[in-house]
Amino acid sequence: MGETIPTSGKKQIILNAFVMNTPGHLAPGLWKHPRNKTDQYKTLSFWTDLAQLLDKAGFHAMFIADTLGAYDVYKGPSNVVPTLASGAQFPVNDPLYLVPAMSAVTRNLIFGVTASVTYEKPYALARRLSTVDHLSQGRVAWNIVTSYLDSAARNHGLSEQIPHDERYAIADEYLEVLYKLWEGSFRDDAVLANRHLGTYIASDGVREINHKGKYFDVPGPHFCEPSPQRTPFLFQAGVSEAGGQFGGKHGEAIFVGGQTPEGTRLTVDNIRNIAKQQGRDPNHIKIIVGINVIVAATDEEAKAKREEYLEYADDEGALALFGGWTGVDLSSHADDEDFRFSHSPRVQSIVRRWSATVPGTDSLPWTKRRIVEYISVGGLQAKVVGSPTTVADELERWVEISGVDGFNLAHIVNPGTFEDIIEFLLPELRQRGLFREEIEKEGATAREVFIGSNRLPEDHPGSKYKWRAGENIPQYQTKEN
Ligand SMILES: Cc1cc2nc3c(=O)[nH]c(=O)nc-3n(C[C@H](O)[C@H](O)[C@H](O)COP(=O)(O)O)c2cc1C
């Protein structure tokens, strides 16, 4: 299991569908497109239909993004109005509740759910994730985020965000607490459920964790019995120095952005090097790049589809998303300003990367209009538009040059984008031996699907907290023990 090498010798790719529990994830305004039904995001059938579609087609996972506050920087501060018409990541429902229903109607699809370590307490989150790992029979992954919106901080009792790197220091201790709860609080053979003996759990099978650290004080024990994976499979997507260090230590599938395969190669090498420094086998980490695919029978039809989508784009929503991601409010800037020369280093670097990669735009001014167009069909992610051959060639080039293990595919319309990928792209990828023909093991857990093992691998830092069957370990006393 894990990385399957087909007879052609090519590495098979992982494909995730990237979604959010909201009308306008990465395509602001497109909710009103005739094909789109994301305004039905509040209904279970919207989600169970999508899950069944992806499961049947052989997708590896559905990755559900989440934020804990609105995109209120544009025309702000604290202004949600620009997001309202387009549903640009507003409103956003909680993703975790979708998973039990979707797992009940699917067999193999994995559900990656985002939850923030900055605003949720570890004891409570450990319980919620264990519950869903039980109910999905191990098909849940957790996308660990430290969150990046001031609006989330303000609504969770803080006047401003905790400084960026400190959020990762907190996250590191948070994970230690969770490993102690998930891996070390119940012995592997603690649960007997023996009717004859009248013993549900062995009296010596559960212990407190007594964690006392800089940020958390959690005595334990964990409130849930061991779930199939114990620690749910760990997704992460940090790009900064602190985020990369955290991901290289804890992450099992790392999500990266990137406009070119060459640039992404540097990120991939960096993550694998950090993992190595942490004593991990770098191949135990899957690296997945976000990309937006518009595919149709021919290049011309795919380009026409993109143009048609753009007719539904919402400028205000796109600029609101841009403001949330960058912290920069473009409302006071002139319509003809060329943001390749922006005074904001963040805006300048993003726009210059786009300008270097979108064919034919490197010598053109990158105005607000062009930014809106870029964001409206897939957010910040790289874009590929074309026939099955064009798109498959491009994905193959990405894998070869960047060394990524797969793609996180955003949608423009839903239903629509994933159906097109299934109809046009998957047959081409399968014909090239790049995408799995069949499921290697029915009902595998998330970790088995991604890296071929059910429990944390022994080289993962969480493994040192495992309480194995038959082992007699004294109570954890303090953080240092
Ligand atoms: C594919 C992908 C998905 C992400 N999903 C979320 C998300 O759902 N919620 C969130 O708060 N951040 C999300 N992020 C942001 C990352 O968690 C992280 O904050 C960002 O990449 C910046 O890295 P840094 O934290 O190291 O500065 C995502 C990033 C990527 C690349």
Side-chain angles (χ1 to χ4, degrees):
M1 272 270 302
E3 187 177 294
T4 311
I5 309 292
T7 44
S8 68
K10 282 182 184 165
K11 179 165 92 171
Q12 288 205 317
I13 56 177
I14 293 167
L15 290 184
N16 291 347
F18 194 30
V19 295
M20 196 170 186
N21 201 354
T22 183
H25 180 203
L26 295 175
L30 269 293
W31 71 267
K32 57 190 184 288
H33 186 280
R35 267 182 113 181
N36 211 348
K37 291 189 189 154
T38 49
D39 55 341
Q40 302 296 311
Y41 76 101
K42 303 141 297 198
T43 64
L44 267 187
S45 60
F46 173 81
W47 292 101
T48 50
D49 287 354
L50 175 61
Q52 286 179 316
L53 177 88
L54 300 171
D55 194 43
K56 201 164 152 240
F59 272 72
H60 291 77
M62 176 192 290
F63 179 154
I64 316 176
D66 194 34
T67 53
L68 293 174
Y71 284 63
D72 62 356
V73 172
Y74 176 65
K75 294 191 173 168
S78 306
N79 184 5
V80 299
V81 173
T83 67
L84 299 183
S86 60
Q89 302 199 11
F90 189 95
V92 179
N93 280 354
D94 191 308
L96 195 57
Y97 296 99
L98 304 173
V99 176
M102 293 195 295
S103 64
V105 297
T106 53
R107 182 80 180 113
N108 297 300
L109 190 67
I110 302 308
F111 303 99
V113 181
T114 303
S116 173
V117 295
T118 303
Y119 303 114
E120 304 211 38
K121 296 266 195 285
Y123 183 73
L125 184 63
R127 182 177 180 229
R128 294 204 298 136
L129 287 169
S130 291
T131 303
V132 175
D133 199 47
H134 278 297
L135 295 177
S136 66
Q137 295 178 299
R139 285 195 282 137
V140 70
W142 169 34
N143 177 33
I144 311 167
V145 299
T146 52
S147 300
Y148 54 86
L149 289 164
D150 284 334
S151 61
R154 288 197 305 275
N155 283 296
H156 290 81
L158 302 174
S159 54
E160 57 184 19
Q161 291 193 68
I162 297 166
H164 178 277
D165 287 9
E166 191 178 3
R167 296 203 295 275
Y168 278 106
I170 296 171
D172 194 50
E173 190 186 323
Y174 197 115
L175 268 286
E176 188 186 325
V177 175
L178 292 186
Y179 298 141
K180 288 176 179 174
L181 291 170
W182 281 329
E183 302 288 340
S185 188
F186 279 64
R187 205 175 55 214
D188 280 346
D189 57 354
V191 179
L192 303 175
N194 186 319
R195 287 166 192 264
H196 178 65
L197 291 175
T199 305
Y200 190 68
I201 297 172
S203 58
D204 61 351
V206 177
R207 64 181 167 176
E208 295 183 332
I209 62 164
N210 290 320
H211 178 91
K212 280 189 203 303
K214 183 170 175 196
Y215 301 105
F216 301 106
D217 188 348
V218 182
H222 189 27
F223 212 16
C224 301
E225 65 181 81
S227 66
Q229 301 180 92
R230 310 293 197 273
T231 299
F233 189 66
L234 300 174
F235 285 4
Q236 202 268 347
V239 292
S240 59
E241 173 62 25
Q245 288 292 335
F246 177 87
K249 179 174 173 187
H250 299 281
E252 299 184 272
I254 307 277
F255 292 80
V256 297
Q259 300 304 316
T260 62
E262 292 79 8
T264 304
R265 173 95 234 174
L266 304 175
T267 314
V268 169
D269 289 347
N270 184 41
I271 292 166
R272 297 209 194 278
N273 277 336
I274 295 169
K276 236 189 267 174
Q277 286 158 17
Q278 293 285 343
R280 301 177 65 192
D281 178 345
N283 295 317
H284 285 165
I285 297 185
K286 297 295 170 197
I287 303 182
I288 298 175
V289 67
I291 214 153
N292 197 85
V293 165
I294 298 178
V295 62
T298 63
D299 284 346
E300 290 65 35
E301 284 174 53
K303 281 183 199 152
K305 203 182 272 186
R306 178 179 177 278
E307 293 306 314
E308 194 250 343
Y309 286 155
L310 281 173
E311 287 170 25
Y312 295 84
D314 183 290
D315 295 12
E316 293 287 283
L319 293 169
L321 290 179
F322 188 83
W325 288 322
T326 59
V328 179
D329 173 6
L330 295 188
S331 63
S332 57
H333 293 257
D335 286 347
D336 61 355
E337 179 168 342
D338 185 350
F339 289 96
R340 290 178 303 167
F341 307 103
S342 166
H343 294 304
S344 156
R346 175 113 175 88
V347 173
Q348 191 186 99
S349 89
I350 289 176
V351 169
R352 285 191 179 193
R353 263 184 280 134
W354 292 345
S355 134
T357 52
V358 178
T361 66
D362 52 340
S363 56
L364 297 175
W366 267 73
T367 57
K368 266 193 235 184
R369 167 111 319 272
R370 208 176 294 283
I371 290 175
V372 164
E373 277 191 11
Y374 193 88
I375 285 183
S376 298
V377 283
L380 304 175
Q381 310 209 100
K383 323 276 195 253
V384 186
V385 181
S387 68
T389 319
T390 304
V391 176
D393 283 352
E394 189 60 6
L395 297 190
E396 212 171 339
R397 193 173 77 83
W398 267 87
V399 171
E400 272 164 22
I401 297 175
S402 71
V404 296
D405 299 294
F407 299 93
N408 210 30
L409 299 164
H411 63 277
I412 308 297
V413 286
N414 178 18
T417 301
F418 299 127
E419 280 80 354
D420 290 350
I421 287 170
I422 291 164
E423 181 183 352
F424 296 110
L425 181 60
L426 295 194
E428 180 68 29
L429 292 178
R430 286 193 165 116
Q431 204 204 324
R432 297 180 186 203
L434 288 172
F435 189 60
R436 61 183 184 179
E437 292 280 355
E438 54 194 44
I439 302 301
E440 295 89 352
K441 178 186 167 191
E442 287 290 325
T445 64
R447 187 167 287 106
E448 284 177 315
V449 168
F450 278 85
I451 60 168
S453 116
N454 187 37
R455 299 284 304 276
L456 281 175
E458 290 308 306
D459 59 359
H460 189 281
S463 276
K464 70 169 184 263
Y465 300 101
K466 284 178 183 167
W467 188 7
R468 295 162 212 270
E471 260 178 11
N472 185 11
I473 303 181
Q475 296 273 342
Y476 291 120
Q477 293 303 326
T478 64
K479 183 174 183 295
E480 286 70 44
N481 286 343

